[in-house]
Amino acid sequence: MSITINRVYQKVLAIANKEQRGYISPQEFNLLADKAQLEIFENYFHSIKMAALKPKSQLGYSDEVEMIEEKLHPFHVDEDATTSTASLTLPPNTFKIIGITRAGNKVTQLNKSQISYTENNPLTKATVTRSTFVREDDGTVTIHPAPTESTTFEVSYYKRPPQPKWTYVVAGGKALYNGSASDKVDFSLHGSEEENLVSRILMLAGVIIQRPDVQQAGLQDIQLTKQQQNS
């Protein structure tokens, strides 16, 4: 279930405006909201790596790896992509490739220095049933060996969260929430991340409105949450 963007904005304003600490405009909020969401999302991949090193909990609902995987699940996409050349275009919202398969066989990811070695060695040179790929900087991957005809690959990946947007209309010189706007975008993160979002946005907003106390309030909430989770 997504997190309603207006709910987060109203919480951020309520805390920031307390004791006249400052006002965060809708434009500023939307920029900070996108940054905060991406920071939380990107941190999942670091957290799951660290959690995998810890002893696994016997209680599935409290296992850290499973909890993070649950939060990542809405971003997991399996999608077919077809090409007749060595260049395979990834979906535009691809954040992290999970895997690519070719006719049911896994395509192994290599870097450019590795591929130059494997392709020049007859024992490791890629075949149709043992293919490899290299990710390029232009949103494509290079497949080895290159298809000789139109070939469909299954690409599994984590998609990038869409940019959140608090939409509004101006009435009486004030911005009023317009929840029926077609371009409104709620947060895509798991519902449990609502307070984390509020804290991170406050921390970022403290810099913009030049109020260290607002920044510190958000930072303290983040640190407290981490302490509680690790206790």
Side-chain angles (χ1 to χ4, degrees):
M1 185 177 69
S2 62
I3 301 171
T4 305
I5 194 165
N6 186 51
R7 181 179 172 88
V8 174
Y9 188 30
Q10 296 307 322
K11 284 186 176 183
V12 169
L13 286 184
I15 298 172
N17 286 338
K18 187 179 180 181
E19 300 175 358
Q20 303 300 312
R21 284 175 168 173
Y23 175 70
I24 303 167
S25 71
Q27 295 87 350
E28 291 169 337
F29 173 78
N30 284 333
L31 289 173
L32 300 179
D34 183 44
K35 180 172 175 56
Q37 178 169 249
L38 282 175
E39 285 180 353
I40 294 172
F41 178 70
E42 290 172 1
N43 192 50
Y44 288 155
F45 299 97
H46 172 73
S47 297
I48 203 167
K49 178 181 69 174
M50 300 305 295
L53 301 176
K54 301 177 183 178
K56 186 175 178 64
S57 172
Q58 297 301 313
L59 301 174
Y61 63 85
S62 65
D63 183 75
E64 193 171 348
V65 172
E66 291 191 15
M67 287 192 290
I68 299 172
E69 287 179 342
E70 181 182 349
K71 293 179 180 180
L72 279 170
H73 180 71
F75 304 99
H76 184 162
V77 180
D78 295 319
E79 187 172 316
D80 287 343
T82 302
T83 183
S84 57
T85 68
S87 181
L88 179 69
T89 301
L90 296 172
N93 59 346
T94 300
F95 179 80
K96 184 177 179 62
I97 298 174
I98 300 172
I100 298 177
T101 59
R102 180 180 194 172
N105 297 306
K106 178 183 177 181
V107 183
T108 302
Q109 182 172 2
L110 300 176
N111 59 42
K112 291 184 178 181
S113 61
Q114 291 172 321
I115 202 72
S116 62
Y117 171 78
T118 58
E119 286 301 293
N120 287 319
N121 188 322
L123 296 178
T124 57
K125 189 176 178 65
T127 65
V128 172
T129 57
R130 184 169 46 80
S131 301
T132 59
F133 75 90
V134 176
R135 188 165 186 176
E136 308 294 347
D137 296 331
D138 60 353
T140 65
V141 298
T142 300
I143 302 292
H144 298 272
T148 56
E149 58 184 8
S150 181
T151 303
T152 299
F153 296 81
E154 183 181 67
V155 182
S156 298
Y157 65 97
Y158 288 113
K159 65 180 181 180
R160 181 181 296 272
Q163 183 173 344
K165 185 176 183 181
W166 189 82
T167 50
Y168 63 96
V169 293
V170 178
K174 294 184 178 180
L176 302 178
Y177 179 58
N178 181 16
S180 61
S182 60
D183 56 342
K184 183 206 74 171
V185 182
D186 285 323
F187 290 101
S188 303
L189 299 178
H190 190 275
S192 63
E193 299 288 9
E194 182 172 323
E195 297 308 315
N196 193 5
L197 278 168
V198 172
S199 299
R200 285 181 178 271
I201 294 170
L202 277 171
M203 184 176 66
L204 295 168
V207 178
I208 291 179
I209 62 178
Q210 297 181 357
R211 289 302 303 257
D213 52 343
V214 175
Q215 184 181 16
Q216 188 62 27
L219 181 59
Q220 286 176 347
D221 284 343
I222 293 173
Q223 291 174 338
L224 179 60
T225 300
K226 286 183 178 179
Q227 290 174 359
Q228 292 173 340
Q229 290 175 344
N230 294 328
S231 62

